[in-house]
Amino acid sequence: MLSISRIVTLLGSILVALSSGTNYIYSAYAPQLGARLRVSHTQLNIIGLAGNMGVYTSGPVWGRIVDRKGPRIPLIGASICLFVGYLGIKQMYDDGIGNDATVSVLHFALLVTCGFMTGLGGNAGLGAAINTTAKSFPSSARATTTGLVLSGFGLSAFWFSLLAHTLFPGNISAFLLILALGTAIPMLIGLFIVKPVPLPPTSLNAQDETTIEGYDPIPSGDTVVFMEESQLASDSEVDAEVDVDSVPLLSHEQEQSSYQVPVLPSAVKSNLPVSLHHEISVGDKDGLPDIHGKGLWLTPDFYLIFTIMGICSGTGLMYINNVGSISQALYAKAHTVYDDVEASKWQATQVSILSLGNFAGRVLIGLISDFAHTRLHLPRAYCLCIVSFLFIISQTSAIIVSSVETLWIATLLLGLAYGSLFGSYPTIMIEWFGLAHFSENWGYVSFSPVLGGNLFSLMFGRNLDTHATLGTRVRSFISLVSRELPSEHQCFDGKACYLGSLQVTLVACIVSLGLSWWAGIRDGQKIKDRNASVRRQNMI
């Protein structure tokens, strides 16, 4: 199974993912952008959320495109959106606002639009990379390979932050130019090397659930129907005009096989009871269910993992978008003389640590998931308990930490938790709902961070702005030496600026832990039901 074409595809997907995760680097330049354009913390959070909105709201659109047309169109779109988005932000940063008190409504709207485009492009690239990888590797290695691709996505912020601070230290304009070029060009390279490599077909023996390469299929609670060629011939008379696009996994013709995965005739499918639509579904090559579209939204399991994702990703996005402001608040609290250069170093350090933790989390959770599934025979959904517990520890640490020198502990834990979240979800999505429409389904789940991220990030921004306003009352007692950051936008109260927000997210993550445990129980029940169904078929 490990061929040169698959290795090339994997490396190309990692390169594309490495250029897709630059939304995580927003905190590295957000405070300086706010200082130069004189915008509040709440407005900065809105710009950051625009990028998040671009990532998560575009998921279903890009997912449908990559499922049906392959990765080329999303990669072209990613290159254009990332280049235009970052170049637009750079231009507005360079122009400044002159003698105006704050940025105009028009310029702020343009900033939000550019932020949205960066998220739009990043998600297009990641969707193409993940979908291609998932279709190119068997179930036994899928969590590990997709975890590697997602780890590249998580490492993106560290890579670009290191590159910019090495070549152009302290130069935000050059930093934004690197982001524009360094994200757009790899997408164009991906056009030539990111191509799906089809897997061998599964065995025709319905009683043998291993593939011809010896890989075990991913367990599922739904019954999958496989039809032999003699049955397929008779069914073709009922529905002779089946669109080949309805089976997107077979749209790539690099490796042909005599085996055919059938499409249920529409006449037959329409006569099935609604309760059987999820049980008698079109199986893909790994024996997975095929739940998508309206059926997905009618499935209670979808709302379970949607809620877990919303809570955990919202917590992560809140911290990621504001870790620069957190480090500045702690630095200002401990130093009566505010050195902007020194504060910026701590800010960049947090972004780098967060990115490394994000990277490590995506790799480790993939290995843990595969080990738990193949060796311990545990449902993969139990990995969500690990994820939720990491979020709880990270929020507790952030509440306890009171100095910028020890903030790295909370940042690293948050990065591990956030990376583990997005490293574990794709494989769980494939097992629960199937691979054929994975990108589309993943896009719908990606709506949840929009809700959680907006709620927690705006709460955090308003909390900071409230304390920043109070801080202006005492600034006459504090000597500030700052090159760029206006004193009226700086909070001097340390962790008191954001403590209330962290307490809210801590409670939310405890709720997520309970839901994750329930998801593991549900996943285990699906496996038991599936095994019982297999035993009944063998007895017949």
Side-chain angles (χ1 to χ4, degrees):
M1 292 296 294
L2 191 61
S3 61
I4 294 178
S5 59
R6 284 191 172 85
I7 294 175
V8 171
T9 293
L10 179 61
L11 293 177
S13 296
I14 293 174
L15 174 64
V16 168
L18 187 65
S19 305
S20 300
T22 51
N23 269 14
Y24 297 136
I25 208 170
Y26 177 67
S27 281
Y29 63 87
Q32 287 78 8
L33 181 68
R36 185 167 178 81
L37 301 182
R38 299 173 190 170
V39 298
S40 66
H41 286 295
T42 301
Q43 288 176 311
L44 281 178
N45 271 278
I46 291 174
I47 297 171
L49 286 172
N52 299 333
M53 289 280 286
V55 171
Y56 301 117
T57 60
S58 65
V61 178
W62 290 126
R64 184 176 292 269
I65 292 173
V66 74
D67 277 335
R68 295 187 174 186
K69 302 296 183 181
R72 291 183 61 84
I73 295 176
L75 288 173
I76 294 173
S79 181
I80 295 173
C81 289
L82 288 166
F83 182 75
V84 173
Y86 281 118
L87 205 62
I89 295 175
K90 175 187 179 301
Q91 186 62 48
M92 281 180 275
Y93 178 86
D94 291 341
D95 292 343
I97 59 173
N99 296 324
D100 296 337
T102 186
V103 66
S104 66
V105 175
L106 177 60
H107 279 79
F108 181 72
L110 289 175
L111 277 173
V112 172
T113 302
C114 289
F116 181 82
M117 291 187 70
T118 62
L120 194 68
N123 194 39
L126 181 64
I130 288 296
N131 183 277
T132 301
T133 303
K135 290 179 178 178
S136 300
F137 289 88
S139 61
S140 59
R142 189 171 290 138
T144 300
T145 53
T146 55
L148 287 172
V149 175
L150 286 167
S151 68
F153 184 77
L155 197 60
S156 181
F158 171 76
W159 165 246
F160 282 100
S161 179
L162 178 65
L163 190 64
H165 284 87
T166 300
L167 300 178
F168 308 102
N171 191 335
I172 299 298
S173 179
F175 184 21
L176 292 170
L177 180 60
I178 288 177
L179 288 173
L181 296 176
T183 56
I185 294 175
M187 299 298 172
L188 298 179
I189 296 175
L191 287 173
F192 303 98
I193 58 178
V194 178
K195 299 178 180 179
V197 181
L199 293 168
T202 53
S203 173
L204 288 175
N205 186 353
Q207 296 180 359
D208 182 6
E209 294 191 347
T210 59
T211 68
I212 63 173
E213 291 291 332
Y215 291 97
D216 293 331
I218 295 177
S220 166
D222 301 282
T223 302
V224 181
V225 176
F226 288 94
M227 304 171 66
E228 297 187 11
E229 293 183 10
S230 59
Q231 296 171 295
L232 193 64
S234 61
D235 288 335
S236 62
E237 298 176 1
V238 181
D239 190 7
E241 297 182 356
V242 174
D243 186 356
V244 294
D245 286 341
S246 63
V247 190
L249 285 179
L250 301 182
S251 60
H252 307 284
E253 301 178 356
Q254 289 93 328
E255 297 181 14
Q256 295 291 340
S257 171
S258 60
Y259 176 71
Q260 293 177 295
V261 177
V263 177
L264 275 180
S266 57
V268 176
K269 191 173 182 180
S270 63
N271 292 327
L272 291 174
V274 175
S275 61
L276 296 180
H277 277 183
H278 297 320
E279 293 183 354
I280 304 178
S281 58
V282 181
D284 62 21
K285 293 185 288 186
D286 281 317
L288 298 170
D290 184 15
I291 304 175
H292 63 282
K294 183 179 179 181
L296 183 72
W297 292 95
L298 296 176
T299 304
D301 288 338
F302 170 73
Y303 294 97
L304 176 61
I305 64 173
F306 187 94
T307 303
I308 297 171
M309 169 67 84
I311 293 174
C312 293
S313 63
T315 300
L317 289 173
M318 181 196 75
Y319 193 93
I320 290 168
N321 288 341
N322 293 281
V323 66
S325 299
I326 291 174
S327 64
Q328 287 192 341
L330 292 176
Y331 180 84
K333 178 71 173 179
H335 298 80
T336 55
V337 177
Y338 186 91
D339 185 347
D340 186 57
V341 176
E342 185 66 20
S344 296
K345 290 180 180 179
W346 285 111
Q347 176 187 336
T349 298
Q350 301 308 315
V351 173
S352 296
I353 292 174
L354 178 66
S355 183
L356 289 173
N358 197 349
F359 163 77
R362 292 172 191 258
V363 173
L364 292 175
I365 200 64
L367 297 174
I368 292 172
S369 177
D370 279 341
F371 179 80
H373 177 66
T374 59
R375 302 295 184 183
L376 304 180
H377 305 291
L378 293 174
R380 292 186 195 267
Y382 276 118
C383 289
L384 295 179
C385 294
I386 299 175
V387 172
S388 296
F389 186 67
L390 283 173
F391 272 105
I392 292 173
I393 297 176
S394 71
Q395 297 306 285
T396 303
S397 299
I399 290 173
I400 295 174
V401 166
S402 58
S403 67
V404 71
E405 289 82 6
T406 55
L407 181 61
W408 68 270
I409 300 174
T411 302
L412 179 62
L413 289 170
L414 191 282
L416 284 170
Y418 194 78
S420 297
L421 174 68
F422 283 91
S424 60
Y425 250 74
T427 307
I428 295 173
M429 286 289 297
I430 291 171
E431 289 190 355
W432 283 29
F433 307 117
L435 179 61
H437 297 84
F438 161 66
S439 292
E440 182 181 345
N441 291 344
W442 175 250
Y444 290 130
V445 172
S446 295
F447 276 122
S448 58
V450 175
L451 302 178
N454 274 301
L455 176 64
F456 293 146
S457 294
L458 291 178
M459 172 189 67
F460 198 97
R462 288 184 178 276
N463 204 359
L464 277 176
D465 283 335
T466 300
H467 286 83
T469 302
L470 293 174
T472 60
R473 301 175 185 174
V474 299
R475 70 172 183 265
S476 59
F477 300 98
I478 301 175
S479 174
L480 289 176
V481 181
S482 177
R483 293 183 305 165
E484 292 186 85
L485 193 64
S487 59
E488 61 266 23
H489 290 295
Q490 182 63 48
C491 177
F492 304 114
D493 295 335
K495 69 178 182 180
C497 298
Y498 52 82
L499 185 60
S501 301
L502 295 178
Q503 291 170 340
V504 172
T505 53
L506 175 61
V507 174
C509 291
I510 294 174
V511 174
S512 175
L513 178 61
L515 294 176
S516 299
W517 182 259
W518 175 244
I521 295 174
R522 290 280 301 132
D523 203 4
Q525 187 61 48
K526 286 181 179 224
I527 295 175
K528 290 180 180 179
D529 292 343
R530 176 178 177 273
N531 291 337
S533 177
V534 171
R535 285 194 295 268
R536 286 195 299 268
Q537 291 177 7
N538 289 338
M539 291 177 63
I540 296 174

